[in-house]
Amino acid sequence: MLGPTAHNRRVLSGMRPTGRLHLGHYHGVLKNWTQLQYDYECFFFVADWHALTTEYENKSVIRDNIYEMVVDWLAVGVDPASANIFIQSHVPEHAELHLLLSMMTPLGWLERVPSYKDQQEKLREKDIDTYGFLGYPLLQSADILAYKAGHVPVGEDQVAHVELTREVARRFNFLYGREDDFVDKVEAAIKKMGRKNARLYSELRRQFQEQGDHEALERARALLDEQQNITLADRTRLSGYMSGEGRVILPEPQALLTPMAKMPGLDGQKMSKSYHNTITLRDEPEMVVKKMRTMPTDPARVRRTDPGDPDKCPVWPFHQIYSSSEAHQWVSEGCRAGTIGCLDCKQLVIDGMQEELAPIRERAVEFSANQKLVENIVAEGSEKARCVARKTMEEVRGAMGLIAS
Ligand code: TRP
Ligand code: SF4
C-alpha cells in the first residue's frame, strides 16, 4: 500500500562531524547517498549542533571536522550538482522548528528513545545529563520535517529517531492541521483549479474514499502538483482533504536502510570510532596493510597447517564485501583444511580495499587543497536549503497561531 509520503521525492540525511569518516560510514550510508542523489532531490548536511550535544566541552573537534567531512563526502562522489550539501547551523530554521516542536512533544517520548539511555551508559566519561542531549532526537525530527523529507537514508541505529519523527509529525498534524474554516478553504481551492481539473479531483477523491483506490490518490497528487493557480498551502489542504487526514502540514518520513547496513570492524564488532576498529577513508595504503595484517583471525589457527573456521574469523565478513565467490570458496576450503595462510587470505581483502580507497583518497587530496571550492559548495547548498526550510516555517508558525512579522 502506498503510504502518505509515497509521492515525496525528497531525501534528507545528516552526519555528525566528530571525527574522520571510515569504511563503516561509506558502506553503511554514503554509498547509498551517492546512488540516491540522481533519483531524488537530496539534502545532505553536517549536523554540527548534534555534534555539540556530546562535544560541547571541546570545540576543536567540531571545528576541525566540518569541512573535512564535506571533503570526504565529495571524495566518495556526493555530487554538489545533484545534491544540496549544507551545514545545519547555517540554517537557523532547524533551531526554530526544534523549539516549536518541543512545545508539543511529551517528555516521555524522548526519555524512551532507546539511544538515550544507551548513550548515557556508553559515554559515561562525558557529562551528557543535559537538556540538549535529551532533545537530540527531536532536533533530528526538526531537521527532517523542515524539508518535509519523504525519505531518510540512515544506518540501523537511527531508525528509532525516524520513528519518533513520524510520531511528532502525526501529533503536529493532529493538533494544528484542523483549521476552523478548513472545508471552506478546500472548496475555494478546488474552484481555483478550473472546472475540468476540479471535476477530476472530486472524482478521484470519491474513488479513493469510497473504494480505497490508491492509484486514484496518486493521480490526484500528481494533478495537484501540476496546478499553477493554487498556493502551496492550498495544495497541502487538498492533499489532506483527499486522503481524509485533515491537513497534513508535516508529512511522515520513512527510513531508508542501506541493504549492507553493517560494516564489520577490525575486531569482529561493528566498525565504529568508539571501538577503535576502523579503517578511515583517508588511511594511507601502508596503514591499510598494517591494520589488516594485524587484525585477529580464528584463534584456532596458530600454525599455517592448523585447520580453522571462517565463521569464527573477523576477516571472513570482509570477504563478503571485497572478494569474489571463487575467492570465498578458496578461503573456505583452504582455511578449513589448513592449506592457506591467513596473510594470503587477508591479501585478497587488502587488494579489494585498496582498489576501493585509491580513487577516494586521490579526490580527497584535491578537494582538501581547494578549501575555497568546498566553502562555496556549502554556502550555495545552505542557501538552497534555507529557501525550503523558510517556507515550511511560515506554514508551521501560522498553524501554531503565531503571527507573521
Ligand atoms: N543522528 C544522526 C547520526 O548520528 C545524524 C543526524 C542528525 C541525522 N540529523 C539527522 C540523520 C537527520 C538523518 C536525518 O548519524
Ligand atoms: Fe580467517 Fe582467512 Fe585465516 Fe581462515 S584463513 S582464519 S578466514 S584469515
Side-chain angles (χ1 to χ4, degrees):
M1 200 172 87
L2 291 165
T5 58
H7 66 297
N8 193 326
R9 308 291 296 168
R10 194 172 282 160
V11 157
L12 173 125
S13 195
M15 265 189 204
R16 284 169 299 148
T18 51
R20 277 297 158 85
L21 297 188
H22 52 66
L23 285 171
H25 295 112
Y26 180 58
H27 285 274
V29 180
L30 286 175
K31 233 162 100 177
N32 203 14
W33 286 12
T34 62
Q35 282 155 7
L36 290 166
Q37 65 188 345
Y38 300 113
D39 294 331
Y40 293 84
E41 185 194 4
C42 288
F43 291 86
F44 299 132
F45 71 97
V46 179
D48 53 352
W49 281 333
H50 277 103
L52 268 183
T53 62
T54 56
E55 303 296 332
Y56 62 91
E57 286 176 301
N58 34 12
K59 61 183 179 187
S60 64
V61 173
I62 296 171
R63 194 186 46 212
D64 297 348
N65 280 302
I66 291 179
Y67 282 112
E68 289 304 316
M69 189 162 79
V70 174
V71 165
D72 281 341
W73 292 356
L74 296 168
V76 300
V78 176
D79 178 0
S82 292
N84 299 296
I85 297 174
F86 68 97
I87 297 176
Q88 185 183 34
S89 67
H90 294 188
V91 185
E93 283 75 9
H94 292 227
E96 185 186 355
L97 186 54
H98 178 209
L99 175 82
L100 294 182
L101 296 176
S102 79
M103 304 299 170
M104 45 134 278
T105 304
L107 260 184
W109 288 12
L110 295 173
E111 285 162 346
R112 71 172 147 76
V113 170
S115 58
Y116 181 57
K117 289 218 165 63
D118 280 9
Q119 292 290 102
Q120 281 202 323
E121 290 283 308
K122 248 199 235 156
L123 303 176
R124 265 194 194 197
E125 76 281 10
K126 289 194 175 132
D127 181 6
I128 46 173
D129 207 3
T130 58
Y131 180 49
F133 188 70
L134 177 66
Y136 183 112
L138 189 62
L139 177 57
Q140 186 163 349
S141 300
D143 298 336
I144 298 167
L145 297 174
Y147 301 88
K148 303 190 181 189
H151 303 276
V152 186
V154 281
E156 224 169 314
D157 58 325
Q158 297 292 313
V159 171
H161 294 173
V162 179
E163 202 44 54
L164 173 79
T165 307
R166 294 168 61 85
E167 284 173 25
V168 168
R170 223 173 291 146
R171 180 161 166 80
F172 185 95
N173 295 329
F174 173 76
L175 288 172
Y176 307 114
R178 292 162 307 162
E179 302 161 294
D180 303 336
D181 50 356
F182 180 65
V183 176
D184 294 345
K185 283 192 169 147
V186 163
E187 278 167 7
I190 292 177
K191 279 209 189 100
K192 279 188 233 156
M193 290 198 291
R195 197 178 311 160
K196 195 164 135 255
N197 286 333
R199 205 181 303 139
L200 179 57
Y201 171 85
S202 302
E203 175 56 23
L204 289 169
R205 178 169 182 268
R206 197 187 55 74
Q207 280 174 20
F208 176 67
Q209 299 225 322
E210 287 173 17
Q211 293 147 35
D213 181 348
H214 279 269
E215 211 184 294
L217 180 61
E218 287 307 302
R219 280 181 59 202
R221 283 182 170 148
L223 178 72
L224 292 177
D225 282 342
E226 287 163 16
Q227 299 310 305
Q228 308 283 342
N229 287 339
I230 58 176
T231 62
L232 182 68
D234 274 343
R235 204 178 309 231
T236 325
R237 272 183 205 108
L238 289 176
S239 176
Y241 186 60
M242 181 75 203
S243 49
E245 294 162 90
R247 180 166 156 244
V248 176
I249 303 166
L250 299 177
E252 288 177 41
Q254 258 150 14
L256 260 187
L257 276 177
T258 321
M260 226 309 291
K262 266 210 191 92
M263 177 77 189
L266 292 168
D267 56 357
Q269 302 187 75
K270 124 178 196 222
M271 188 176 281
S272 157
K273 186 176 64 126
S274 44
Y275 300 147
H276 306 289
N277 63 358
T278 66
I279 289 182
T280 76
L281 297 181
R282 308 235 206 132
D283 275 350
E284 291 298 328
E286 305 75 45
M287 185 55 120
V288 173
V289 172
K290 188 170 149 219
K291 285 182 175 174
M292 285 305 297
R293 288 191 160 223
T294 50
M295 84 177 268
T297 58
D298 177 359
R301 297 209 71 200
V302 182
R303 264 157 302 182
R304 198 180 193 278
T305 48
D306 293 336
D309 180 357
D311 290 329
K312 293 187 184 141
C313 176
V315 179
W316 184 237
F318 282 100
H319 278 288
Q320 312 311 313
I321 302 169
Y322 291 107
S323 57
S324 65
S325 52
E326 294 93 75
H328 295 169
Q329 201 174 349
W330 179 79
V331 168
S332 184
E333 287 171 12
C335 179
R336 285 175 218 278
T339 54
I340 61 168
C342 288
L343 286 181
D344 298 333
C345 173
K346 287 173 171 179
Q347 192 57 45
L348 290 177
V349 172
I350 294 174
D351 292 344
M353 228 176 234
Q354 301 286 30
E355 200 179 319
E356 178 174 81
L357 287 174
I360 297 178
R361 216 181 274 128
E362 208 173 293
R363 288 165 57 93
V365 170
E366 280 169 30
F367 283 112
S368 243
N370 202 342
Q371 177 82 10
K372 208 72 231 128
L373 172 67
V374 179
E375 283 172 15
N376 284 340
I377 287 170
V378 167
E380 203 173 296
S382 299
E383 205 33 64
K384 284 206 187 126
R386 242 193 129 170
C387 279
V388 176
R390 259 195 211 119
K391 237 190 212 157
T392 306
M393 286 319 296
E394 277 167 25
E395 279 182 77
V396 166
R397 286 184 208 117
M400 289 182 81
L402 302 169
I403 309 171
S405 60

